[in-house]
Amino acid sequence: MNIRIGDIVRFISEKMEGKVTGIIDNTTVNIFVDDYGFEIPASTSDLVVIHSDFTPSKPDSSSVTQVQKGVTMESGDTLYFAIVPDNFNNLPDSRYELFLVNDTQQTCLYSIAFRHGEKYSGISAGNCNPDSTCPIGTYSLKDIDAGIKAVHIQAIFFKKGSTTPRTPIEAEVKINTVNLCKSGIYKHTRWFDSICIIRALDKEHLPATEEIDEKQLTQAIREKKDTTPAPTPRPQKQIVGNIVEIDLHCHELLETTAGMNNKDILEYQLEIFRKTMEEYKLRKGQKIIFIHGKGDGILRQRILWELQTKYKRHHHQDASFKQYGYGATMVTIK
């Protein structure tokens, strides 16, 4: 299977989808999983492409249908701001086209200004028809760095005849050139042929975009550290004969997950896995069963990747299906 950067893929063995963000080798790629906000490595044999920007020379009807399945439908009866790169495979050198997207049934009367520091510069104004997009302009990263720290948008809505009044929108969306080069934040929508960044403007009101000075940020971080309880570990090891059983379910490892997000929990689970491997790595013949559960497969994928890279001299296989189903991996120390 020919998998390319930017393809949307689905795992065959797990109920999970993501976007290809890098090619590691001929059989392994990096997948960005949007729900978790980070990348995991995956074997190409365990993936099926459900959307690709690559267009074959002779597309058939089945390929068109497949593309449509991978499109993220943005439909919120509101106004969106979108950023579309012209070269997703080379984001640092790409040019970026800015759009206003009117996902309503009313005409939008808008004005656009760019903010750089404390100064605003008017860019355009006009009408955006219902269910349509309006281009604002195309810019390089250098252009954005030099003069666009944020895009200020004001909009009111109009529909002739019977109508329902809508609240006017005034929003300011910051543009960070570093983030524009992160492939994981782009998604497919029904509005554009290529992937884009898209933001709902009715959720981006001006007070929420005010700058936080360094002292406020430092204080906020300090308060978070003071109020977030440290994870309290629980015993997770059981030894039966020559087999060590490690249950990596978070409710078995921690008394509480308060203050921890999905990424924090995953890193804690992986730390337990690594400590266990280090503890037993010199005990030849030792069998260790890591119970990771099936779930959405993130933990299992990460464990298998580490076993295939950091601990590849040790043997690993699925643990007893009768006892664990697909939810455990057995490692034999070599």
Side-chain angles (χ1 to χ4, degrees):
M1 180 186 300
N2 195 4
I3 295 179
R4 297 172 174 81
I5 293 176
D7 287 352
I8 302 298
V9 295
R10 178 176 296 139
F11 286 78
I12 296 173
S13 61
E14 311 291 345
K15 292 182 179 179
M16 185 166 59
E17 296 180 4
K19 179 161 68 272
V20 179
T21 56
I23 307 297
I24 297 175
D25 54 39
N26 291 335
T27 60
T28 313
V29 295
N30 270 336
I31 307 296
F32 181 88
V33 182
D34 191 56
D35 290 343
Y36 285 82
F38 52 80
E39 294 176 329
I40 62 170
S43 170
T44 54
S45 62
D46 191 35
L47 302 172
V48 58
V49 177
I50 59 175
H51 179 83
S52 177
D53 285 335
F54 175 75
T55 304
S57 56
K58 294 182 179 180
D60 55 30
S61 58
S62 62
S63 65
V64 173
T65 301
Q66 189 179 35
V67 167
Q68 291 302 317
K69 290 181 181 179
V71 176
T72 301
M73 303 300 288
E74 291 284 351
S75 183
D77 189 37
T78 188
L79 203 62
Y80 292 95
F81 172 73
I83 303 175
V84 183
D86 66 8
N87 185 1
F88 178 73
N89 292 325
N90 187 8
L91 291 173
D93 292 331
S94 175
R95 292 180 64 80
Y96 296 82
E97 190 165 8
L98 312 184
F99 286 90
L100 194 64
V101 180
N102 184 7
D103 186 21
T104 76
Q105 298 305 307
Q106 299 184 18
T107 299
C108 165
L109 289 71
Y110 67 88
S111 69
I112 307 290
F114 291 162
R115 177 173 67 80
H116 185 69
E118 300 299 322
K119 296 181 179 180
Y120 288 85
S121 176
I123 299 301
S124 65
N127 297 339
C128 189
N129 292 328
D131 199 32
S132 65
T133 65
C134 293
I136 298 171
T138 303
Y139 307 90
S140 66
L141 289 181
K142 185 177 180 180
D143 296 332
I144 295 171
D145 258 337
I148 310 174
K149 294 302 180 185
V151 179
H152 188 95
I153 301 166
Q154 295 174 301
I156 59 174
F157 299 89
F158 169 77
K159 181 181 179 182
K160 189 174 182 179
S162 178
T163 186
T164 300
R166 298 181 65 98
T167 302
I169 287 177
E170 183 171 11
E172 188 166 292
V173 180
K174 295 179 183 178
I175 300 182
N176 186 321
T177 53
V178 174
N179 288 338
L180 292 181
C181 295
K182 296 179 180 179
S183 58
I185 66 176
Y186 291 85
K187 64 171 68 175
H188 291 272
T189 73
R190 67 188 178 94
W191 298 104
F192 306 101
D193 292 333
S194 59
I195 60 178
C196 67
I197 300 171
I198 191 163
R199 301 284 295 275
L201 294 178
D202 60 348
K203 299 176 183 177
E204 298 291 335
H205 298 297
L206 281 173
T209 66
E210 292 178 354
E211 298 285 349
I212 300 177
D213 63 35
E214 188 174 350
K215 289 183 179 180
Q216 288 176 311
L217 183 59
T218 303
Q219 180 63 25
I221 294 172
R222 185 181 296 113
E223 289 175 357
K224 179 175 177 60
K225 288 182 178 179
D226 292 341
T227 58
T228 301
T232 305
R234 300 172 66 174
Q236 75 281 346
K237 182 191 302 183
Q238 292 187 16
I239 302 177
V240 181
N242 188 40
I243 299 177
V244 175
E245 186 179 277
I246 307 293
D247 195 334
L248 295 176
H249 286 97
C250 61
H251 62 270
E252 294 292 337
L253 298 178
L254 299 165
E255 292 287 351
T256 177
T257 57
M260 301 176 71
N261 57 30
N262 287 336
K263 186 175 182 180
D264 296 332
I265 294 171
L266 177 63
E267 287 303 322
Y268 188 84
Q269 292 169 313
L270 289 173
E271 185 62 25
I272 296 297
F273 163 77
R274 295 178 189 123
K275 286 181 178 179
T276 304
M277 290 298 297
E278 291 300 315
E279 180 181 351
Y280 291 97
K281 68 180 181 181
L282 299 179
R283 300 188 187 183
K284 292 185 178 181
Q286 177 69 60
K287 296 183 185 297
I288 310 170
I289 293 179
F290 292 100
I291 304 173
H292 42 66
K294 194 171 188 309
D296 54 17
I298 291 286
L299 178 58
R300 176 176 179 270
Q301 291 285 342
R302 290 293 296 271
I303 286 176
L304 291 179
W305 173 252
E306 299 223 356
L307 288 171
Q308 293 163 6
T309 54
K310 296 181 182 178
Y311 307 103
K312 59 184 178 182
R313 71 186 183 92
H314 306 301
H315 176 73
H316 68 275
Q317 66 187 69
D318 289 336
S320 168
F321 179 81
K322 183 177 180 180
Q323 186 172 356
Y324 302 102
Y326 290 109
T329 298
M330 183 171 72
V331 178
T332 303
I333 302 298
K334 296 293 186 182

